[in-house]
Short mmCIF file of all heavy atoms in Angstrom, two decimals:
data_model
loop_
_atom_site.label_atom_id
_atom_site.label_comp_id
_atom_site.label_asym_id
_atom_site.label_seq_id
_atom_site.Cartn_x
_atom_site.Cartn_y
_atom_site.Cartn_z
N MET E 193 118.82 -44.54 8.36
CA MET E 193 117.41 -44.72 8.18
C MET E 193 116.67 -43.82 9.13
O MET E 193 117.16 -43.53 10.21
CB MET E 193 117.05 -46.19 8.37
CG MET E 193 116.52 -46.56 9.71
SD MET E 193 115.78 -48.16 9.78
CE MET E 193 115.07 -48.33 8.21
N GLU E 194 115.51 -43.35 8.71
CA GLU E 194 114.70 -42.46 9.54
C GLU E 194 113.79 -43.30 10.43
O GLU E 194 113.15 -44.24 9.96
CB GLU E 194 113.87 -41.54 8.67
CG GLU E 194 113.06 -40.54 9.47
CD GLU E 194 112.23 -39.63 8.59
OE1 GLU E 194 111.31 -40.14 7.93
OE2 GLU E 194 112.54 -38.43 8.56
N VAL E 195 113.73 -42.96 11.72
CA VAL E 195 112.88 -43.64 12.68
C VAL E 195 112.00 -42.60 13.36
O VAL E 195 112.50 -41.60 13.85
CB VAL E 195 113.72 -44.39 13.75
CG1 VAL E 195 112.81 -45.10 14.74
CG2 VAL E 195 114.69 -45.36 13.11
N LYS E 196 110.68 -42.83 13.33
CA LYS E 196 109.73 -41.96 14.02
C LYS E 196 109.10 -42.76 15.15
O LYS E 196 108.62 -43.87 14.92
CB LYS E 196 108.63 -41.46 13.09
CG LYS E 196 109.12 -40.53 12.02
CD LYS E 196 107.96 -40.05 11.16
CE LYS E 196 108.48 -39.16 10.05
NZ LYS E 196 107.39 -38.71 9.18
N ILE E 197 109.10 -42.19 16.35
CA ILE E 197 108.58 -42.88 17.52
C ILE E 197 107.45 -42.04 18.11
O ILE E 197 107.66 -40.88 18.47
CB ILE E 197 109.68 -43.09 18.59
CG1 ILE E 197 110.85 -43.84 17.99
CG2 ILE E 197 109.11 -43.81 19.81
CD1 ILE E 197 112.08 -43.86 18.88
N GLY E 198 106.29 -42.64 18.21
CA GLY E 198 105.16 -41.99 18.86
C GLY E 198 105.13 -42.41 20.31
O GLY E 198 105.26 -43.59 20.63
N VAL E 199 104.97 -41.45 21.21
CA VAL E 199 104.96 -41.71 22.64
C VAL E 199 103.58 -41.31 23.17
O VAL E 199 103.08 -40.23 22.86
CB VAL E 199 106.07 -40.92 23.37
CG1 VAL E 199 106.07 -41.21 24.85
CG2 VAL E 199 107.42 -41.23 22.75
N GLN E 200 102.99 -42.20 23.97
CA GLN E 200 101.68 -41.91 24.55
C GLN E 200 101.74 -40.65 25.40
O GLN E 200 102.71 -40.43 26.13
CB GLN E 200 101.22 -43.07 25.43
CG GLN E 200 100.98 -44.35 24.68
CD GLN E 200 100.62 -45.49 25.61
OE1 GLN E 200 100.39 -45.30 26.79
NE2 GLN E 200 100.59 -46.68 25.06
N HIS E 201 100.70 -39.84 25.33
CA HIS E 201 100.54 -38.61 26.12
C HIS E 201 101.62 -37.57 25.82
O HIS E 201 101.90 -36.72 26.65
CB HIS E 201 100.51 -38.90 27.62
CG HIS E 201 99.54 -39.97 27.99
ND1 HIS E 201 98.19 -39.85 27.81
CD2 HIS E 201 99.72 -41.21 28.50
CE1 HIS E 201 97.59 -40.95 28.21
NE2 HIS E 201 98.49 -41.80 28.63
N ALA E 202 102.23 -37.66 24.64
CA ALA E 202 103.21 -36.66 24.21
C ALA E 202 102.68 -36.03 22.92
O ALA E 202 102.26 -36.76 22.01
CB ALA E 202 104.58 -37.29 23.97
N PRO E 203 102.69 -34.72 22.81
CA PRO E 203 102.11 -34.07 21.64
C PRO E 203 102.93 -34.23 20.36
O PRO E 203 102.40 -34.08 19.27
CB PRO E 203 102.03 -32.60 22.05
CG PRO E 203 103.08 -32.44 23.09
CD PRO E 203 103.16 -33.76 23.80
N ARG E 204 104.21 -34.53 20.48
CA ARG E 204 105.06 -34.62 19.30
C ARG E 204 105.72 -35.98 19.24
O ARG E 204 105.97 -36.61 20.26
CB ARG E 204 106.14 -33.55 19.34
CG ARG E 204 105.57 -32.14 19.28
CD ARG E 204 106.62 -31.10 19.34
NE ARG E 204 107.55 -31.24 18.23
CZ ARG E 204 108.64 -30.53 18.09
NH1 ARG E 204 108.95 -29.62 18.99
NH2 ARG E 204 109.42 -30.70 17.06
N GLU E 205 106.04 -36.40 18.03
CA GLU E 205 106.76 -37.65 17.87
C GLU E 205 108.27 -37.38 17.91
O GLU E 205 108.72 -36.25 17.69
CB GLU E 205 106.38 -38.33 16.56
CG GLU E 205 106.69 -37.53 15.32
CD GLU E 205 106.07 -38.11 14.07
OE1 GLU E 205 105.25 -39.03 14.16
OE2 GLU E 205 106.42 -37.62 12.99
N ILE E 206 109.03 -38.42 18.18
CA ILE E 206 110.49 -38.33 18.18
C ILE E 206 110.96 -38.81 16.81
O ILE E 206 110.58 -39.88 16.36
CB ILE E 206 111.09 -39.22 19.29
CG1 ILE E 206 110.59 -38.77 20.66
CG2 ILE E 206 112.61 -39.19 19.22
CD1 ILE E 206 110.92 -39.74 21.77
N VAL E 207 111.78 -37.99 16.15
CA VAL E 207 112.31 -38.34 14.83
C VAL E 207 113.82 -38.35 14.92
O VAL E 207 114.43 -37.40 15.40
CB VAL E 207 111.84 -37.33 13.75
CG1 VAL E 207 112.40 -37.71 12.39
CG2 VAL E 207 110.33 -37.25 13.70
N LEU E 208 114.44 -39.44 14.46
CA LEU E 208 115.90 -39.50 14.47
C LEU E 208 116.39 -40.25 13.26
O LEU E 208 115.69 -41.07 12.68
CB LEU E 208 116.41 -40.15 15.76
CG LEU E 208 116.06 -41.61 15.99
CD1 LEU E 208 117.33 -42.43 16.03
CD2 LEU E 208 115.35 -41.73 17.31
N GLU E 209 117.60 -39.94 12.86
CA GLU E 209 118.29 -40.65 11.79
C GLU E 209 119.23 -41.65 12.46
O GLU E 209 120.12 -41.27 13.22
CB GLU E 209 119.10 -39.68 10.93
CG GLU E 209 118.27 -38.75 10.09
CD GLU E 209 117.57 -39.44 8.94
OE1 GLU E 209 118.09 -40.45 8.43
OE2 GLU E 209 116.49 -38.98 8.57
N SER E 210 119.01 -42.92 12.20
CA SER E 210 119.80 -43.96 12.84
C SER E 210 120.69 -44.65 11.81
O SER E 210 120.29 -44.86 10.66
CB SER E 210 118.87 -45.00 13.49
OG SER E 210 119.62 -46.05 14.04
N GLY E 211 121.87 -45.01 12.23
CA GLY E 211 122.79 -45.76 11.38
C GLY E 211 122.52 -47.26 11.45
O GLY E 211 123.14 -48.03 10.73
N GLN E 212 121.58 -47.68 12.30
CA GLN E 212 121.24 -49.08 12.44
C GLN E 212 120.39 -49.52 11.26
O GLN E 212 119.70 -48.73 10.64
CB GLN E 212 120.48 -49.31 13.75
CG GLN E 212 121.30 -48.98 14.99
CD GLN E 212 120.44 -48.93 16.24
OE1 GLN E 212 119.48 -48.18 16.29
NE2 GLN E 212 120.80 -49.74 17.21
N SER E 213 120.43 -50.82 10.97
CA SER E 213 119.62 -51.35 9.87
C SER E 213 118.16 -51.47 10.32
O SER E 213 117.86 -51.46 11.51
CB SER E 213 120.14 -52.73 9.46
OG SER E 213 119.92 -53.67 10.49
N ALA E 214 117.27 -51.61 9.35
CA ALA E 214 115.85 -51.74 9.66
C ALA E 214 115.59 -53.00 10.49
O ALA E 214 114.78 -52.99 11.42
CB ALA E 214 115.04 -51.79 8.37
N GLU E 215 116.29 -54.08 10.18
CA GLU E 215 116.12 -55.33 10.92
C GLU E 215 116.56 -55.18 12.36
O GLU E 215 115.92 -55.69 13.28
CB GLU E 215 116.90 -56.47 10.24
CG GLU E 215 116.35 -56.87 8.89
CD GLU E 215 116.81 -55.93 7.78
OE1 GLU E 215 117.81 -55.19 7.95
OE2 GLU E 215 116.13 -55.92 6.72
N GLU E 216 117.66 -54.47 12.59
CA GLU E 216 118.16 -54.27 13.94
C GLU E 216 117.21 -53.40 14.76
O GLU E 216 116.92 -53.71 15.92
CB GLU E 216 119.55 -53.62 13.88
CG GLU E 216 120.23 -53.54 15.22
CD GLU E 216 121.64 -52.99 15.12
OE1 GLU E 216 122.12 -52.71 14.01
OE2 GLU E 216 122.27 -52.84 16.18
N VAL E 217 116.69 -52.33 14.17
CA VAL E 217 115.74 -51.47 14.88
C VAL E 217 114.46 -52.25 15.18
O VAL E 217 113.93 -52.18 16.29
CB VAL E 217 115.42 -50.21 14.05
CG1 VAL E 217 114.30 -49.41 14.70
CG2 VAL E 217 116.66 -49.34 13.90
N GLU E 218 113.99 -53.04 14.23
CA GLU E 218 112.79 -53.84 14.44
C GLU E 218 112.99 -54.85 15.58
O GLU E 218 112.10 -55.06 16.39
CB GLU E 218 112.43 -54.56 13.15
CG GLU E 218 111.10 -55.26 13.20
CD GLU E 218 110.70 -55.86 11.86
OE1 GLU E 218 111.32 -55.53 10.84
OE2 GLU E 218 109.76 -56.67 11.86
N ARG E 219 114.16 -55.45 15.65
CA ARG E 219 114.46 -56.42 16.72
C ARG E 219 114.46 -55.74 18.08
O ARG E 219 113.88 -56.25 19.04
CB ARG E 219 115.83 -57.08 16.47
CG ARG E 219 116.21 -58.10 17.54
CD ARG E 219 117.61 -58.64 17.31
NE ARG E 219 118.62 -57.61 17.17
CZ ARG E 219 119.17 -56.94 18.18
NH1 ARG E 219 118.81 -57.18 19.41
NH2 ARG E 219 120.11 -56.02 17.96
N VAL E 220 115.07 -54.56 18.18
CA VAL E 220 115.12 -53.83 19.45
C VAL E 220 113.72 -53.41 19.89
O VAL E 220 113.37 -53.53 21.07
CB VAL E 220 116.05 -52.60 19.31
CG1 VAL E 220 115.98 -51.72 20.53
CG2 VAL E 220 117.48 -53.04 19.07
N VAL E 221 112.89 -52.97 18.95
CA VAL E 221 111.51 -52.57 19.27
C VAL E 221 110.71 -53.79 19.72
O VAL E 221 109.98 -53.73 20.72
CB VAL E 221 110.84 -51.89 18.06
CG1 VAL E 221 109.35 -51.69 18.30
CG2 VAL E 221 111.52 -50.56 17.76
N ALA E 222 110.85 -54.91 19.03
CA ALA E 222 110.14 -56.13 19.40
C ALA E 222 110.53 -56.61 20.80
O ALA E 222 109.67 -57.04 21.58
CB ALA E 222 110.39 -57.22 18.37
N GLU E 223 111.81 -56.52 21.13
CA GLU E 223 112.27 -56.91 22.46
C GLU E 223 111.67 -56.01 23.54
O GLU E 223 111.27 -56.48 24.60
CB GLU E 223 113.80 -56.89 22.54
CG GLU E 223 114.47 -58.01 21.79
CD GLU E 223 115.98 -57.91 21.81
OE1 GLU E 223 116.53 -56.95 22.39
OE2 GLU E 223 116.62 -58.80 21.21
N ALA E 224 111.60 -54.71 23.26
CA ALA E 224 111.03 -53.78 24.23
C ALA E 224 109.54 -54.06 24.43
O ALA E 224 109.04 -54.05 25.55
CB ALA E 224 111.25 -52.34 23.78
N LEU E 225 108.83 -54.32 23.34
CA LEU E 225 107.40 -54.58 23.44
C LEU E 225 107.10 -55.93 24.08
O LEU E 225 106.04 -56.11 24.69
CB LEU E 225 106.74 -54.48 22.06
CG LEU E 225 106.71 -53.09 21.45
CD1 LEU E 225 106.15 -53.14 20.04
CD2 LEU E 225 105.91 -52.13 22.31
N ALA E 226 108.01 -56.89 23.93
CA ALA E 226 107.82 -58.22 24.52
C ALA E 226 108.13 -58.24 26.01
O ALA E 226 107.90 -59.23 26.68
CB ALA E 226 108.68 -59.24 23.79
N GLY E 227 108.69 -57.14 26.52
CA GLY E 227 109.00 -57.07 27.94
C GLY E 227 110.39 -57.53 28.30
O GLY E 227 110.73 -57.64 29.47
N LYS E 228 111.24 -57.78 27.30
CA LYS E 228 112.61 -58.21 27.58
C LYS E 228 113.45 -57.06 28.12
O LYS E 228 114.44 -57.29 28.79
CB LYS E 228 113.26 -58.80 26.32
CG LYS E 228 112.61 -60.09 25.88
CD LYS E 228 113.31 -60.67 24.68
CE LYS E 228 112.63 -61.95 24.25
NZ LYS E 228 113.27 -62.53 23.07
N SER E 229 113.07 -55.83 27.78
CA SER E 229 113.74 -54.66 28.34
C SER E 229 112.68 -53.61 28.62
O SER E 229 111.65 -53.56 27.96
CB SER E 229 114.79 -54.11 27.36
OG SER E 229 114.18 -53.66 26.19
N GLN E 230 112.91 -52.78 29.61
CA GLN E 230 111.93 -51.76 29.99
C GLN E 230 112.07 -50.49 29.17
O GLN E 230 111.19 -49.65 29.19
CB GLN E 230 112.06 -51.44 31.47
CG GLN E 230 111.68 -52.60 32.36
CD GLN E 230 111.77 -52.24 33.83
OE1 GLN E 230 112.00 -51.09 34.18
NE2 GLN E 230 111.57 -53.21 34.67
N LEU E 231 113.20 -50.34 28.48
CA LEU E 231 113.45 -49.15 27.67
C LEU E 231 113.73 -49.53 26.23
O LEU E 231 114.42 -50.50 25.95
CB LEU E 231 114.67 -48.39 28.20
CG LEU E 231 114.55 -47.68 29.54
CD1 LEU E 231 115.90 -47.12 29.93
CD2 LEU E 231 113.52 -46.58 29.47
N LEU E 232 113.20 -48.72 25.33
CA LEU E 232 113.61 -48.80 23.93
C LEU E 232 114.79 -47.86 23.79
O LEU E 232 114.68 -46.67 24.06
CB LEU E 232 112.47 -48.35 23.01
CG LEU E 232 112.84 -48.16 21.54
CD1 LEU E 232 113.30 -49.47 20.92
CD2 LEU E 232 111.68 -47.57 20.78
N THR E 233 115.93 -48.40 23.40
CA THR E 233 117.16 -47.61 23.28
C THR E 233 117.63 -47.64 21.84
O THR E 233 117.89 -48.70 21.28
CB THR E 233 118.26 -48.20 24.19
OG1 THR E 233 117.78 -48.27 25.52
CG2 THR E 233 119.51 -47.33 24.15
N LEU E 234 117.72 -46.46 21.24
CA LEU E 234 118.24 -46.32 19.88
C LEU E 234 119.35 -45.28 19.89
O LEU E 234 119.35 -44.37 20.71
CB LEU E 234 117.14 -45.90 18.91
CG LEU E 234 115.99 -46.88 18.72
CD1 LEU E 234 114.90 -46.25 17.86
CD2 LEU E 234 116.48 -48.15 18.08
N VAL E 235 120.28 -45.40 18.95
CA VAL E 235 121.40 -44.46 18.82
C VAL E 235 121.28 -43.77 17.47
O VAL E 235 121.12 -44.43 16.45
CB VAL E 235 122.75 -45.20 18.94
CG1 VAL E 235 123.90 -44.22 18.81
CG2 VAL E 235 122.83 -45.95 20.26
N ASP E 236 121.36 -42.43 17.47
CA ASP E 236 121.27 -41.71 16.20
C ASP E 236 122.63 -41.63 15.53
O ASP E 236 123.62 -42.14 16.04
CB ASP E 236 120.62 -40.33 16.38
CG ASP E 236 121.53 -39.32 17.06
OD1 ASP E 236 122.66 -39.66 17.44
OD2 ASP E 236 121.09 -38.17 17.23
N GLU E 237 122.67 -40.99 14.37
CA GLU E 237 123.92 -40.90 13.59
C GLU E 237 125.02 -40.12 14.28
O GLU E 237 126.18 -40.25 13.94
CB GLU E 237 123.63 -40.29 12.22
CG GLU E 237 122.85 -41.20 11.31
CD GLU E 237 122.64 -40.60 9.94
OE1 GLU E 237 122.68 -39.35 9.81
OE2 GLU E 237 122.44 -41.37 8.99
N HIS E 238 124.67 -39.28 15.25
CA HIS E 238 125.66 -38.47 15.96
C HIS E 238 126.10 -39.12 17.26
O HIS E 238 126.83 -38.50 18.04
CB HIS E 238 125.08 -37.08 16.25
CG HIS E 238 124.65 -36.35 15.01
ND1 HIS E 238 125.54 -35.82 14.10
CD2 HIS E 238 123.42 -36.09 14.50
CE1 HIS E 238 124.88 -35.26 13.11
NE2 HIS E 238 123.58 -35.41 13.33
N GLY E 239 125.65 -40.34 17.52
CA GLY E 239 126.05 -41.06 18.71
C GLY E 239 125.21 -40.77 19.94
O GLY E 239 125.50 -41.26 21.02
N ARG E 240 124.14 -39.99 19.79
CA ARG E 240 123.26 -39.68 20.93
C ARG E 240 122.28 -40.82 21.11
O ARG E 240 121.75 -41.37 20.16
CB ARG E 240 122.50 -38.37 20.68
CG ARG E 240 123.42 -37.18 20.62
CD ARG E 240 122.63 -35.94 20.33
NE ARG E 240 122.16 -36.03 18.94
CZ ARG E 240 121.94 -34.98 18.17
NH1 ARG E 240 122.09 -33.77 18.65
NH2 ARG E 240 121.54 -35.13 16.93
N LYS E 241 122.00 -41.16 22.38
CA LYS E 241 121.05 -42.21 22.70
C LYS E 241 119.67 -41.63 22.94
O LYS E 241 119.53 -40.60 23.59
CB LYS E 241 121.48 -42.99 23.95
CG LYS E 241 122.62 -43.93 23.73
CD LYS E 241 122.85 -44.78 24.95
CE LYS E 241 123.96 -45.77 24.70
NZ LYS E 241 124.17 -46.63 25.86
N VAL E 242 118.66 -42.32 22.44
CA VAL E 242 117.27 -41.97 22.68
C VAL E 242 116.67 -43.12 23.49
O VAL E 242 116.70 -44.27 23.04
CB VAL E 242 116.50 -41.78 21.35
CG1 VAL E 242 115.04 -41.51 21.62
CG2 VAL E 242 117.12 -40.66 20.55
N LEU E 243 116.16 -42.80 24.66
CA LEU E 243 115.57 -43.81 25.55
C LEU E 243 114.09 -43.50 25.72
O LEU E 243 113.72 -42.39 26.09
CB LEU E 243 116.26 -43.79 26.92
CG LEU E 243 117.78 -43.93 26.92
CD1 LEU E 243 118.34 -43.64 28.30
CD2 LEU E 243 118.16 -45.32 26.48
N VAL E 244 113.25 -44.50 25.46
CA VAL E 244 111.80 -44.34 25.60
C VAL E 244 111.29 -45.52 26.43
O VAL E 244 111.61 -46.67 26.12
CB VAL E 244 111.10 -44.33 24.22
CG1 VAL E 244 109.60 -44.17 24.38
CG2 VAL E 244 111.68 -43.25 23.34
N PRO E 245 110.51 -45.25 27.48
CA PRO E 245 109.93 -46.36 28.25
C PRO E 245 109.06 -47.24 27.33
O PRO E 245 108.23 -46.73 26.58
CB PRO E 245 109.07 -45.67 29.31
CG PRO E 245 109.59 -44.28 29.39
CD PRO E 245 110.13 -43.95 28.02
N ALA E 246 109.28 -48.54 27.37
CA ALA E 246 108.59 -49.46 26.47
C ALA E 246 107.08 -49.43 26.66
O ALA E 246 106.33 -49.58 25.70
CB ALA E 246 109.12 -50.88 26.67
N ASP E 247 106.63 -49.20 27.88
CA ASP E 247 105.19 -49.19 28.13
C ASP E 247 104.51 -47.91 27.64
O ASP E 247 103.28 -47.80 27.67
CB ASP E 247 104.88 -49.42 29.60
CG ASP E 247 105.45 -48.35 30.51
OD1 ASP E 247 106.35 -47.60 30.08
OD2 ASP E 247 104.98 -48.26 31.66
N ARG E 248 105.27 -46.93 27.16
CA ARG E 248 104.71 -45.67 26.65
C ARG E 248 104.77 -45.58 25.12
O ARG E 248 104.39 -44.56 24.56
CB ARG E 248 105.47 -44.47 27.23
CG ARG E 248 105.36 -44.35 28.71
CD ARG E 248 103.98 -43.94 29.07
NE ARG E 248 103.86 -43.80 30.52
CZ ARG E 248 102.74 -43.92 31.17
NH1 ARG E 248 101.63 -44.19 30.53
NH2 ARG E 248 102.71 -43.78 32.46
N LEU E 249 105.24 -46.62 24.45
CA LEU E 249 105.33 -46.60 22.99
C LEU E 249 103.93 -46.64 22.38
O LEU E 249 103.11 -47.48 22.73
CB LEU E 249 106.12 -47.79 22.47
CG LEU E 249 107.63 -47.75 22.66
CD1 LEU E 249 108.24 -49.06 22.21
CD2 LEU E 249 108.24 -46.60 21.93
N ALA E 250 103.65 -45.73 21.47
CA ALA E 250 102.40 -45.73 20.73
C ALA E 250 102.62 -46.38 19.36
O ALA E 250 101.84 -47.23 18.93
CB ALA E 250 101.86 -44.32 20.57
N TYR E 251 103.71 -46.00 18.68
CA TYR E 251 104.04 -46.59 17.39
C TYR E 251 105.50 -46.29 17.07
O TYR E 251 106.11 -45.39 17.63
CB TYR E 251 103.15 -46.06 16.27
CG TYR E 251 103.29 -44.59 16.01
CD1 TYR E 251 104.23 -44.10 15.10
CD2 TYR E 251 102.49 -43.67 16.68
CE1 TYR E 251 104.37 -42.74 14.87
CE2 TYR E 251 102.61 -42.32 16.45
CZ TYR E 251 103.55 -41.86 15.55
OH TYR E 251 103.69 -40.52 15.33
N VAL E 252 106.06 -47.09 16.16
CA VAL E 252 107.40 -46.86 15.63
C VAL E 252 107.31 -47.01 14.12
O VAL E 252 106.83 -48.02 13.62
CB VAL E 252 108.44 -47.85 16.21
CG1 VAL E 252 109.80 -47.63 15.58
CG2 VAL E 252 108.51 -47.73 17.72
N GLU E 253 107.75 -45.98 13.41
CA GLU E 253 107.69 -45.98 11.94
C GLU E 253 109.11 -45.99 11.41
O GLU E 253 109.94 -45.15 11.78
CB GLU E 253 106.95 -44.73 11.47
CG GLU E 253 106.78 -44.63 9.99
CD GLU E 253 106.03 -43.37 9.61
OE1 GLU E 253 105.03 -43.04 10.27
OE2 GLU E 253 106.47 -42.72 8.65
N LEU E 254 109.40 -46.96 10.54
CA LEU E 254 110.73 -47.07 9.94
C LEU E 254 110.64 -46.67 8.48
O LEU E 254 109.70 -47.05 7.78
CB LEU E 254 111.23 -48.51 10.04
CG LEU E 254 111.27 -49.14 11.43
CD1 LEU E 254 111.70 -50.58 11.32
CD2 LEU E 254 112.19 -48.37 12.33
N GLY E 255 111.62 -45.91 8.02
CA GLY E 255 111.62 -45.50 6.62
C GLY E 255 112.98 -45.02 6.20
O GLY E 255 113.87 -44.81 7.02
N GLU E 256 113.13 -44.87 4.92
CA GLU E 256 114.38 -44.35 4.37
C GLU E 256 114.38 -42.83 4.48
O GLU E 256 113.33 -42.20 4.39
CB GLU E 256 114.53 -44.77 2.92
CG GLU E 256 114.74 -46.26 2.75
CD GLU E 256 116.00 -46.76 3.43
OE1 GLU E 256 117.03 -46.10 3.33
OE2 GLU E 256 115.93 -47.81 4.06
N PRO E 257 115.54 -42.23 4.67
CA PRO E 257 115.59 -40.77 4.75
C PRO E 257 115.26 -40.14 3.41
O PRO E 257 115.60 -40.67 2.36
CB PRO E 257 117.04 -40.48 5.15
CG PRO E 257 117.80 -41.68 4.71
CD PRO E 257 116.85 -42.84 4.81
N ALA E 258 114.57 -39.02 3.45
CA ALA E 258 114.27 -38.28 2.23
C ALA E 258 115.50 -37.47 1.85
O ALA E 258 116.18 -36.92 2.72
CB ALA E 258 113.09 -37.35 2.47
N PRO E 259 115.82 -37.41 0.57
CA PRO E 259 116.98 -36.60 0.18
C PRO E 259 116.73 -35.13 0.50
O PRO E 259 115.64 -34.62 0.27
CB PRO E 259 117.09 -36.83 -1.33
CG PRO E 259 115.76 -37.33 -1.74
CD PRO E 259 115.15 -38.00 -0.56
N ARG E 260 117.73 -34.49 1.03
CA ARG E 260 117.59 -33.08 1.41
C ARG E 260 117.87 -32.20 0.20
O ARG E 260 118.83 -32.40 -0.52
CB ARG E 260 118.55 -32.74 2.54
CG ARG E 260 118.24 -33.54 3.78
CD ARG E 260 119.21 -33.21 4.88
NE ARG E 260 119.02 -34.16 5.95
CZ ARG E 260 118.60 -33.85 7.16
NH1 ARG E 260 118.36 -32.60 7.45
NH2 ARG E 260 118.45 -34.76 8.07
N LYS E 261 117.00 -31.23 0.01
CA LYS E 261 117.16 -30.31 -1.11
C LYS E 261 118.03 -29.16 -0.66
O LYS E 261 117.83 -28.59 0.39
CB LYS E 261 115.81 -29.82 -1.59
CG LYS E 261 114.94 -30.94 -2.12
CD LYS E 261 113.61 -30.43 -2.56
CE LYS E 261 112.76 -31.59 -3.03
NZ LYS E 261 111.44 -31.17 -3.45
N VAL E 262 118.98 -28.80 -1.51
CA VAL E 262 119.90 -27.72 -1.19
C VAL E 262 119.88 -26.73 -2.35
O VAL E 262 119.91 -27.11 -3.51
CB VAL E 262 121.34 -28.25 -0.99
CG1 VAL E 262 122.30 -27.14 -0.71
CG2 VAL E 262 121.35 -29.26 0.14
N GLY E 263 119.84 -25.45 -2.01
CA GLY E 263 119.94 -24.43 -3.04
C GLY E 263 118.58 -24.01 -3.58
O GLY E 263 117.54 -24.40 -3.07
N PHE E 264 118.64 -23.24 -4.63
CA PHE E 264 117.43 -22.72 -5.25
C PHE E 264 117.27 -23.44 -6.58
O PHE E 264 118.15 -23.42 -7.43
CB PHE E 264 117.53 -21.23 -5.48
CG PHE E 264 117.74 -20.46 -4.21
CD1 PHE E 264 118.99 -20.05 -3.78
CD2 PHE E 264 116.64 -20.18 -3.40
CE1 PHE E 264 119.16 -19.36 -2.62
CE2 PHE E 264 116.80 -19.48 -2.21
CZ PHE E 264 118.06 -19.06 -1.82
N GLY E 265 116.14 -24.04 -6.76
CA GLY E 265 115.90 -24.73 -8.02
C GLY E 265 114.46 -24.56 -8.45
O GLY E 265 113.61 -24.19 -7.68
N ALA E 266 114.25 -24.83 -9.70
CA ALA E 266 112.87 -24.76 -10.22
C ALA E 266 112.12 -25.99 -9.76
O ALA E 266 112.62 -27.10 -9.78
CB ALA E 266 112.91 -24.69 -11.73
N LEU E 267 110.89 -25.77 -9.36
CA LEU E 267 110.06 -26.89 -8.90
C LEU E 267 109.26 -27.46 -10.01
O LEU E 267 108.75 -27.10 -10.88
CB LEU E 267 109.15 -26.47 -7.75
CG LEU E 267 109.89 -26.03 -6.50
CD1 LEU E 267 108.88 -25.54 -5.45
CD2 LEU E 267 110.66 -27.20 -5.92
#
């Protein structure tokens, strides 16, 4: 699933493909915003961790990945 994270005072958003379910990502974000943890920690499909301070979160957008187009085709 595609996850977009907006960070306060950062010009770009963080975009990652996560193997976690939408419910699991939502639970982790809710825990970070509730103050249960100081960091929002997510793992992408390649096993890399993304750590964002919970107090700097602007928004988190969850969505399905868009299919990637390969090759030359008529539009």
Side-chain angles (χ1 to χ4, degrees):
M193 99 167 326
E194 183 180 66
V195 180
K196 292 182 183 179
I197 304 169
V199 181
Q200 295 176 9
H201 309 296
R204 296 179 60 186
E205 61 191 9
I206 300 169
V207 180
L208 65 117
E209 291 289 330
S210 177
Q212 298 168 303
S213 68
E215 292 81 19
E216 188 176 358
V217 173
E218 188 174 347
R219 180 185 53 79
V220 172
V221 170
E223 288 176 359
L225 292 175
K228 294 182 181 179
S229 64
Q230 294 182 6
L231 290 174
L232 170 63
T233 305
L234 296 173
V235 180
D236 73 358
E237 289 183 336
H238 302 288
R240 295 177 290 209
K241 285 188 178 182
V242 176
L243 306 170
V244 180
D247 62 342
R248 297 289 181 205
L249 286 174
Y251 63 89
V252 177
E253 182 180 317
L254 305 176
E256 292 298 318
R260 297 179 190 244
K261 297 179 182 179
V262 178
F264 300 97
L267 297 176

